[in-house]
Every structure is written in structure tokens, then in C-alpha cells.
Amino acid sequence: MSLPERLYVYPWESYTENNCNSYFLDGPVKTLIDPGHAHLLHHLEARMAQDGFTLEDVQLALSTHPHPDHCEGLLKLKELGALIAMHEEAQAFIKSFSTQWEHVTGRKMPEFPVDFFVKEGRLTLGSEVFHVLETPGHAPGSVCFYWEKEGVLFSGDVVFVQSVGRVDLPGGNAALLARSLEKLMGLDVRLLCPGHGPMLEGRGAVKENFYLIRQYFFGPQA
Ligand SMILES: [Zn+2]
């Protein structure tokens, strides 16, 4: 797999604990996408250490959506000095679902004092630019990050290899997810970096994956 220089991938491979894939861009602004669960952060820390990074190196931690297996670790990163950000509707959703949060994590729902909200449009990281795409459906306030220069899409739990995110969780909406998928299909993606499972490389393979998902989950005319 040919990764862009300075992109580090930390896939989650345990079958017994649910956590997300994390992606670290050692760029002009050192950016971590989806740190995962707080209690599993030491796994990420150990993996990053093998590449010569510490959690303190992270300057900006982003979350694709407000599920604890993606965003809970933001709080620790904030403590360590990173800025943290998510979509405004993601933060609002977290506030509204404290009971479910505690049910899922067994921990009290924390405050998420974000430093700024990500929203549709450009997110400038020094000389690098991510395009933020609002892609609700799996969760409210769900976003994808498109690194156009490298053709990389960080798709969170919107799109996986041969699958899409669940819509049966609180705030899920299949019609919105179908629309979000259409939006992503318009991008020129060379490397799909999803929130769970394997990555997918190659413009043809990524396109085919989009079409396959659309056909299978939403019907040919969706
Ligand atoms: Zn999720």
C-alpha cells in the first residue's frame, strides 16, 4: 500500500474490543483523526511510539463523529495540549445522549470542550488542506475529511470496504446516509481510510466500492 508521506495509519485489529482506526498526519499541523476510546488510548500510544511519536506531539485531534469508540480519546489529547474539534451537531448529540453514552462505555459522559467546530468547507492545516464534508446518516454531525492533494478520504463510519455505517443507532438515518454516500462518490479518491476495517487503495477499486455499496444497501437508483 502506498501511503502519502507523513501519513501514519493505526488500524484497530482486536476482535474482542470495539475501537476505531486512527490516522496521524505528521504535517505542518500534527493532526490525529479519531483517537478512539479513552481506555484503549494506550494501544495507540504504543503504536505511535514505534514510529517515534508521542501523544503530546498531537497538535490537533479531530473526530469524524460523536460515537465514543471514535471521539472519547479527544479529552485526553486535550489534557496533553492538543486542540480538539468536531462538528457542532456532533457535540450537541453527545450532550443529548448521556444515558446511552454511559450504557456503551460504562463511564460517565464527559464534557467535550471543543476548541472549534469543523464544518463543510476547507480546514487548513498549515500548508495542507482537508476538505470537510458533512455526511450525516450514521450519526448526527458526522463528517469525512478529504485530503484532495493526496486523494485520501478519511470516511469515518460512513463508508467502509464493502459496507456502510449502521443506521440503527440513536440519530441514525438511512436516507441521509444514502445522500452522504452520493456526495462522497463525487470525489476523486485514491485511498479510502475508513473508521473500521481495512483501507482500500486505487481509484478504480474505490469507485467500484462506492457503486457496490450503493447498489447493495440503497438500490441501483438511490
Ligand atoms: Zn460510529
Side-chain angles (χ1 to χ4, degrees):
M1 181 143 313
S2 109
L3 291 178
E5 217 184 319
R6 296 177 299 147
L7 178 66
Y8 293 82
V9 176
Y10 301 106
W12 184 255
E13 281 154 354
S14 163
Y15 289 99
T16 53
E17 285 192 275
N18 180 49
N19 203 34
C20 68
N21 295 337
S22 302
Y23 300 96
F24 179 61
L25 175 58
D26 176 31
V29 177
K30 296 183 191 322
T31 303
L32 180 68
I33 297 172
D34 282 351
H37 272 302
H39 72 286
L40 299 174
L41 202 59
H42 64 278
H43 289 276
L44 177 62
E45 189 173 21
R47 302 277 302 277
M48 287 179 73
Q50 290 171 3
D51 291 323
F53 302 113
T54 66
L55 292 179
E56 283 86 350
D57 289 331
V58 177
Q59 294 171 301
L60 173 64
L62 301 169
S63 181
T64 55
H65 66 287
H67 288 157
D69 57 329
H70 292 256
C71 69
E72 196 184 14
L74 288 182
L75 298 163
K76 179 71 184 166
L77 288 154
K78 187 173 171 82
E79 270 176 42
L80 295 174
L83 299 179
I84 65 169
M86 62 174 68
H87 193 276
E88 189 168 10
E89 283 176 31
Q91 191 199 45
F93 178 72
I94 290 174
K95 282 185 184 153
S96 76
F97 94 153
S98 60
T99 311
Q100 289 97 327
W101 181 283
E102 286 171 37
H103 179 72
V104 171
T105 65
R107 294 178 287 285
K108 213 172 152 39
M109 193 197 65
E111 290 278 319
F112 273 85
V114 300
D115 293 284
F116 63 93
F117 294 120
V118 294
K119 57 177 194 235
E120 183 89 16
R122 289 162 66 93
L123 174 63
T124 304
L125 306 165
S127 53
E128 300 294 346
V129 175
F130 283 178
H131 293 272
V132 178
L133 295 115
E134 293 173 349
T135 50
H138 169 68
S142 162
V143 295
C144 295
F145 300 104
Y146 178 45
W147 188 11
E148 186 177 18
K149 192 181 93 183
E150 300 288 351
V152 173
L153 179 66
F154 302 100
S155 61
D157 284 5
V158 179
V159 171
F160 308 114
V161 175
Q162 299 191 0
S163 193
V164 287
R166 294 171 59 173
V167 292
D168 59 326
L169 300 168
N173 182 315
L176 285 179
L177 189 66
R179 218 179 300 160
S180 295
L181 181 67
E182 290 296 318
K183 193 171 179 175
L184 297 180
M185 288 178 83
L187 306 174
D188 184 23
V189 180
R190 183 189 71 77
L191 185 65
L192 180 71
C193 297
H196 300 277
M199 299 192 298
L200 187 61
E201 185 179 25
R203 290 189 160 82
V206 172
K207 263 205 167 56
E208 196 177 304
N209 188 60
F210 278 134
Y211 281 104
L212 185 141
I213 288 168
R214 182 170 68 174
Q215 176 124 7
Y216 186 77
F217 291 95
F218 302 109
Q221 301 305 316

